[in-house]
Amino acid sequence: MTDKHFKLVNPETDKSVDIPLHEGSVGPAVLDIASLYKEHGVFTYDPGFGATASCKSSITYIDGEQGILLYRGYPVEQLAEKSSFIEVSYLLLHGELPTKEQLQRFNQQIVYHTMINESLLRFFHGFHYDAHPMAMLSSVVSSLSAFYHGSTNIHEPEDRDLFATRIIAKIPTIAAAAYKHSIGQPFIYPRNDLGYCENLLRMFFAVPAEEYEVDPVAAEALDLLFILHADHEQNASTSTVRLAGSAGTNPYAAIAAGIATLWGPAHGGANEAVLKMLDEIGSVENIDKYIAKAKDRNDPFRLMGFGHRVYKNYDPRAKIIREMCHKVLKKLGKEDDPQLELAMRLEEIALKDEYFVEKKLYPNVDFYSGIIYKALGIPVSMFTVMFAIARTVGWVAHWQEMISDPATRIGRPRQLYTGATRRDYVDLDKR
Ligand code: SDX
């Protein structure tokens, strides 16, 4: 903490107000306004929290102007090239890259918790066949709080670690069960001899009638996508998990709240919305019409997969995924995917348009990811589920950072009230 201050003048009292300035290890400093209301009777106002730091965190750092993303200080580009999702999960949870022994032990813990209670599988039979997989995922994850309510003491570090292991290990099994239910196929159990992404692909695509060989290209592509989606600072779903967790709620219920938030098309639901948008655009000839719609303030249509609250430069994740598209589609023999062609033309035209340039709207993580998921045989309705599987470790890391901070208090924002001032009740016959 520095002893630097901002000086404000209170127009009511003409008194100058010292606002302490706190500096982090990198990035913008923050004005500590915690005592502003107590000492000066005013709140700050920042709907959407565009300029508000809700907490201190040492997990992920984004520089939106430069298009930089660091997980515990490591550039996401280096982790994408050299690491694995399980190793990145360890890094996000523990703050350091694991030794070989630590990684092996962590991986074994995850492997031994991939099965779910058999009665949980019966929950899926209550859903209609066309239930959205995100609705099934959030409901079944929330019901984990019923199974592990008694045995989850959030004030015990061992319980917190067991929660982290269980939810990271079980979310792929629950996601795969949601998928199998939606296509009327039997659930496939996890296998302890498979890696995290191999297991997921097998639980998605294997059938009891025959052996299933996981395509290593698909597993590698999925592992890279999961690394890129693992965490992203105080985004809407992570902030939801922190807020729910600050009330001391069951952590599985807090994760379910994060899943519900991620589902929104303005957030993680955008990857599904991008593929629907590309289908709607249909061909390169229609691109100009849709760019015009996206620019028309009276038209609710937005270019899905474009724009970002923080990145005012190219989302570094989108850059890596775009390059990945070519390699993965080529290896899968699908390099002439018309939707990839259309997406690239759309990006090229949009990035030359002064509306997008002036508003600094670039492709974000969701713009290309769906094209790869589709090439891996994953249906559009499951795209945001894939995002949720990867982001679970980020949610857990932030929940742990919040719950283990002795300074944590229940989150409780205030408001600028613009409603009716005090008035008396009027009897019905006098209205
Ligand atoms: C994710 O926060 C995170 O970190 C999220 C995420 C993560 O990893 O957790 O990165 C994942 O959610 C990525 C974003 C996925 N969503 C989309 O792709 C949906 C399309 N994008 C937009 O809805 C929008 O860009 C947001 C929601 C992403 C950001 O919204 P902001 O920051 O509130 O920006 P804004 O709505 O204030 O837009 C600023 C201007 C507006 O025009 P004006 O009112 O100034 O005239 O840009 C325009 C917007 O209309 N604009 C767009 C646009 N995005 C913003 N215009 C057309 N198409 C778009 N996609």
Side-chain angles (χ1 to χ4, degrees), residues 192-266:
N192 291 351
D193 59 338
L194 293 177
Y196 196 81
C197 293
E198 288 83 357
N199 231 341
L200 178 65
L201 289 166
R202 184 177 168 279
M203 290 190 284
F204 265 47
F205 300 122
V207 286
E210 58 189 29
E211 280 311 305
Y212 179 80
E213 208 51 40
V214 176
D215 179 342
V217 171
E220 188 194 337
L222 205 49
D223 199 80
L224 179 49
L225 284 171
F226 282 3
I227 288 173
L228 297 173
H229 286 79
D231 192 47
H232 215 239
E233 222 188 62
Q234 306 308 324
N235 58 84
S237 52
T238 301
S239 299
T240 300
V241 172
R242 277 180 172 263
L243 190 57
S246 73
T249 193
N250 182 296
Y252 298 95
I255 297 296
I259 294 171
T261 307
L262 186 75
W263 191 5

Side-chain angles (χ1 to χ4, degrees), residues 232 266-267 297 302-303 305-306 308-309 317 355 364 391:
H232 215 239
H267 190 10
R297 291 182 68 97
R302 285 200 167 172
L303 219 43
F306 258 75
H308 200 277
R309 172 62 58 78
R317 303 167 296 177
Y355 172 91
N364 59 50
R391 185 53 58 87

Side-chain angles (χ1 to χ4, degrees), residues 330-344:
K330 192 168 170 52
K331 284 183 184 174
L332 295 172
K334 301 176 178 175
E335 60 266 36
D336 54 356
D337 180 322
Q339 281 187 318
L340 175 58
E341 280 307 304
L342 185 59
M344 291 179 64

Side-chain angles (χ1 to χ4, degrees), residues 20-24 26-34 44-57 60-61 233-235 239 242 309-310 411 413:
L21 188 75
H22 300 327
E23 287 169 326
V26 65
V30 297
L31 291 179
D32 182 342
I33 51 133
T44 57
Y45 182 65
D46 180 19
F49 310 114
T52 295
S54 61
C55 62
K56 274 187 277 188
S57 181
T60 293
Y61 174 70
E233 222 188 62
Q234 306 308 324
N235 58 84
S239 299
R242 277 180 172 263
R309 172 62 58 78
V310 177

Side-chain angles (χ1 to χ4, degrees), residues 69 71 76-77 80 221-230 271 275 314-329 340 344 347 363-373 387:
L69 171 56
Y71 288 165
V76 75
E77 294 84 351
L222 205 49
D223 199 80
L224 179 49
L225 284 171
F226 282 3
I227 288 173
L228 297 173
H229 286 79
N271 56 16
L275 266 288
Y314 215 101
D315 182 334
R317 303 167 296 177
K319 217 177 274 182
I320 297 169
I321 295 175
R322 185 180 57 176
E323 279 138 38
M324 226 177 110
C325 271
H326 294 289
K327 273 190 269 173
V328 171
L329 293 181
L340 175 58
M344 291 179 64
E347 175 192 343
N364 59 50
V365 67
D366 293 307
F367 188 62
Y368 284 106
S369 55
I371 291 169
I372 296 183
Y373 286 136
F387 196 148

